Amino acid sequence: MGHRRRKLTPEFEHDLIRDPRLGYEPPGGSEFIHCVEHGSPTPLERWHCHDEYELQLIVGARGRAFVGDYAGHFEPGHLVLTGPRLPHNWVSTDLPPSGLIVRSLVIQFREEPLRAGMQVIKALEETRPLLARARHGIEFFGLSDDVRERFHRIKQSHGLARFAEFAALLCRLARCEEYRLLSSDPAAGLVPVGVSPGGGATISKIVQYVHAHYTEPLSLAEVAARWNMSESSFSRYFSKASGSTFTAFVNGVRVQHACELLMHSDDQVSRICYAVGFNNVANFNRRFREVMGATPSEFRRQSLARLGALAVASPARS
């Protein structure tokens, strides 16, 4: 029996709604890099997507972050890069009565000029892995103060000077090793923290195998034997290559698939538990809370209260 799926279509953001009164830069000029500085509450807090890459730095407030099928907490210093058409929303939950004048510093940029530039400026090729990872959404650690300073330098500059500041920012992001990928990709599946898509052949195959068989029992012994390793050797290899234990990664994959069903189906929590490969509800609840910071029922209530209301209030434009 199939899952009954809800329709939570993200609003597609057109240039026409990018009003300077909402924090966007005035239209005009030939820049492909745009800065947005906005407060909260704001009409910009909605489940949406657009054609641009977007780097978002939270400088005020706490709340819930939604990126693709990821949901988690954010606080000042939270820094995320999202790729084209990856749905996202940051919903503030602890605003003062008067709201915040500045909650987010955002840089949006289009892919086409970078891709074209790679044909003649080989140094830009260094950004390819970064752009690929951004399609999952990337949360960076340890860069917030630097990015905040660079945002203001980019915003205050124009032409070649703006591009030079932006290129320096891309370089910092591309070389940052402290990051995690947020959303699963239906085609490629989750990639462990610190493992970029297209990385080592063996770890990539193991990840693909987990995504193909996460609904089945996946013992360390069985998977290690499949790759002709002892359990101890496999554990050391997987931890070094992924930054995670094998069991934690499998649980993470199952939880992310559970998030998808909790957000987009009406199935009972118990049914979702077994559908994603857990063998009892108590363990499912415990592992889900470890990964998401909430029980499955709490996660469903929180995400649907935010996303459902926003989808009804802001239907997708064509």
Side-chain angles (χ1 to χ4, degrees):
M1 183 177 177
H3 302 286
R4 294 175 296 165
R5 300 184 66 81
R6 297 185 181 92
K7 293 182 179 180
L8 296 176
T9 305
E11 176 181 344
F12 184 80
E13 184 173 286
H14 293 275
D15 289 337
L16 294 176
I17 73 167
R18 292 174 173 170
D19 193 318
R21 289 173 295 182
L22 297 178
Y24 289 94
E25 292 182 300
S30 58
E31 308 283 8
F32 79 95
I33 307 151
H34 300 286
C35 296
V36 188
E37 188 171 357
H38 70 78
S40 183
T42 171
L44 299 180
E45 289 181 69
R46 72 212 189 282
W47 183 234
H48 73 289
C49 64
H50 40 69
D51 285 331
E52 294 83 4
Y53 288 85
E54 178 175 293
L55 182 67
Q56 172 128 197
L57 173 62
I58 302 291
V59 296
R62 290 173 170 78
R64 296 287 288 173
F66 300 91
V67 178
D69 59 12
Y70 167 82
H73 297 283
F74 72 78
E75 59 186 24
H78 178 80
L79 178 65
V80 170
L81 177 65
T82 55
R85 304 216 173 194
L86 178 63
H88 54 273
N89 190 19
W90 281 263
V91 182
S92 304
T93 58
D94 70 338
L95 294 176
S98 59
L100 287 174
I101 296 175
V102 179
R103 187 204 72 174
S104 297
L105 305 180
V106 177
I107 296 174
Q108 295 180 339
F109 58 96
R110 289 190 172 272
E111 182 173 34
E112 295 82 359
L114 283 178
R115 296 292 184 186
M118 290 176 192
Q119 302 301 313
V120 292
I121 304 174
K122 294 304 180 185
L124 287 175
E125 291 276 355
E126 188 177 329
T127 66
R128 281 190 186 275
L130 175 72
L131 300 182
R133 291 195 294 270
R135 296 184 181 278
H136 298 261
I138 314 169
E139 182 178 6
F140 299 94
F141 304 99
L143 295 184
S144 301
D145 291 342
D146 186 20
V147 169
R148 186 170 188 165
E149 293 178 8
R150 290 178 188 273
F151 171 88
H152 292 296
R153 292 205 296 269
I154 292 170
K155 187 176 182 182
Q156 294 164 8
S157 59
H158 302 281
L160 184 59
R162 172 172 280 207
F163 180 76
E165 292 286 358
F166 174 68
L169 172 61
L170 281 184
C171 182
R172 287 286 283 133
L173 297 175
R175 295 182 179 182
C176 178
E177 297 181 353
E178 298 297 323
Y179 69 86
R180 64 169 173 164
L181 304 185
L182 299 179
S183 179
S184 63
D185 181 328
L190 281 172
V191 180
V193 175
V195 178
S196 60
T202 300
I203 190 66
S204 296
K205 288 178 180 178
I206 295 170
V207 169
Q208 291 170 8
Y209 181 81
V210 171
H211 278 278
H213 299 276
Y214 70 92
T215 62
E216 306 166 13
L218 281 174
S219 71
L220 176 64
E222 181 266 323
V223 179
R226 180 172 289 273
W227 268 271
N228 297 315
M229 298 185 197
S230 67
E231 292 184 42
S232 58
S233 295
F234 180 87
S235 293
R236 287 194 300 271
Y237 169 77
F238 191 90
S239 295
K240 183 177 180 180
S242 71
S244 168
T245 67
F246 179 72
T247 299
F249 176 66
V250 172
N251 285 337
V253 170
R254 288 170 172 163
V255 165
Q256 289 290 348
H257 283 282
C259 287
E260 175 76 8
L261 293 175
L262 288 163
M263 292 170 66
H264 301 304
S265 82
D266 294 316
D267 291 349
Q268 293 182 344
V269 170
S270 58
R271 185 181 180 203
I272 291 173
C273 161
Y274 297 110
V276 299
F278 287 97
N279 56 19
N280 70 75
V281 176
N283 185 47
F284 173 52
N285 285 333
R286 185 165 54 253
R287 301 308 176 195
F288 193 98
R289 180 184 282 277
E290 287 176 359
V291 175
M292 303 304 299
T295 67
S297 297
E298 291 168 345
F299 171 84
R300 171 174 269 170
R301 284 196 299 271
Q302 293 169 356
S303 61
L304 293 181
R306 300 296 182 187
L307 304 185
L310 289 165
V312 171
S314 303
R317 295 184 177 95
S318 57

